[in-house]
Amino acid sequence: MRNFANTQLTELVGNEPNYQQTSVGEQVIPPHVAKFVDRLFIRLKAIFPAWKSAFDSEESYQEAKRLWLEALVNNGVTTAAQFKRGIAQAERKDVPFFPSVGQFIAWCNTENYAELGLPTPDELKHRLNKFRANGGFAEIDRFEFMSDAEYWLITEIANKSIQKSYSEAEELKAMKEALDKMAKRLEKGKVLPKPTRSLPEKVEYLDPEKVKQGWANLKALVARG
């Protein structure tokens, strides 16, 4: 199969039309992005043969395109380079079903993260879980962060998750927002402060039973020593 990343841009979007911006609801949609989405859906239908299972009618298909258009613009996915990254990721997936717009947006941003030395949301989630499994803030001096960026990402999300009692979905959303924010900082050439290696001032341990069990484990360890 011809790889999308090697396809000429004009083959993807044609010549961008010279007309005014259109609107979906109250949102102004750049015309070239609307054209991207039209051609994007054609491409995704070719990549994912079971695409029809995602739409029960022509009306729902057209409504999905409208919702994708809004979501892509809302999340800053508006350039040909981003669409190329998303399609390239889609071509690597060994599944027949049409992706969600959230998944496609993540694909559009994945290589961007890698180019900046940042993890993907899934990789960040894995590292966050490892940080927690190794004692979290209580053992922060022992945890080997892969970079200063990872340190600030993990500690920020872990701290907010404790304070706000995030659900899994809320935590994933917070991770994506933190990654996007970090990516923008790095793209602008900003230097990150060095890790402080200290407990955040506002950490709140909301589960007394876990704290009690932690003290019991520590006392047992000291007694064995």
Side-chain angles (χ1 to χ4, degrees):
M1 186 190 335
R2 189 179 183 186
N3 190 291
F4 180 88
N6 297 323
T7 303
Q8 292 297 320
L9 177 58
T10 53
E11 295 180 34
L12 166 67
V13 299
N15 294 319
E16 291 184 7
N18 183 21
Y19 53 80
Q20 295 182 345
Q21 293 178 327
T22 56
S23 297
V24 177
E26 297 181 353
Q27 182 168 2
V28 176
I29 304 296
H32 73 279
V33 181
K35 194 171 184 69
F36 283 174
V37 173
D38 282 337
R39 293 179 179 267
L40 170 64
F41 266 54
I42 294 173
R43 188 75 183 205
L44 292 178
K45 284 160 61 176
I47 295 172
F48 301 102
W51 66 270
K52 289 184 179 180
S53 64
F55 314 104
D56 55 18
S57 66
E58 178 63 20
E59 182 179 356
S60 68
Y61 176 76
Q62 295 300 330
E63 176 67 8
K65 284 172 59 174
R66 186 185 70 81
L67 294 175
W68 272 58
L69 189 55
E70 288 186 357
L72 291 166
V73 172
N74 282 338
N75 287 275
V77 180
T78 59
T79 68
Q82 290 171 309
F83 277 76
K84 284 183 178 182
R85 285 197 295 266
I87 288 290
Q89 290 288 334
E91 288 179 337
R92 299 186 184 109
K93 305 302 176 183
D94 187 24
V95 293
F97 300 105
F98 207 83
S100 68
V101 64
Q103 181 62 75
F104 185 75
I105 289 170
W107 291 342
C108 289
N109 292 326
T110 295
E111 291 186 16
N112 224 15
Y113 291 148
E115 290 167 3
L116 294 168
L118 296 175
T120 65
D122 286 343
E123 290 168 343
L124 180 57
K125 177 65 175 176
H126 172 75
R127 292 288 292 167
L128 177 60
N129 287 340
K130 187 171 183 179
F131 172 72
R132 288 167 171 158
N134 283 275
F137 287 113
E139 297 291 335
I140 193 170
D141 286 334
R142 297 178 180 273
F143 190 77
E144 295 185 8
F145 293 96
M146 299 176 69
S147 66
D148 290 350
E150 185 188 74
Y151 169 87
W152 291 113
L153 287 167
I154 287 178
T155 54
E156 176 186 347
I157 300 303
N159 188 26
K160 285 184 176 179
S161 191
I162 291 171
Q163 292 182 39
K164 300 182 180 181
S165 299
Y166 280 150
S167 65
E168 185 174 352
E170 289 171 334
E171 185 170 86
L172 180 59
K173 180 181 178 181
M175 281 192 289
K176 290 179 179 178
E177 291 175 350
L179 277 167
D180 288 342
K181 183 179 178 181
M182 181 65 73
K184 289 177 182 177
R185 291 182 68 182
L186 295 177
E187 284 172 348
K188 292 178 180 178
K190 293 187 176 181
V191 178
L192 299 177
K194 289 298 180 183
T196 58
R197 295 285 181 171
S198 61
L199 283 170
E201 294 179 2
K202 295 183 179 180
V203 170
E204 298 173 11
Y205 294 93
L206 302 178
D207 189 340
E209 289 302 317
K210 289 184 178 180
V211 175
K212 183 178 179 180
Q213 183 61 50
W215 278 112
N217 293 343
L218 180 60
K219 288 179 180 179
L221 182 63
V222 171
R224 288 199 301 270

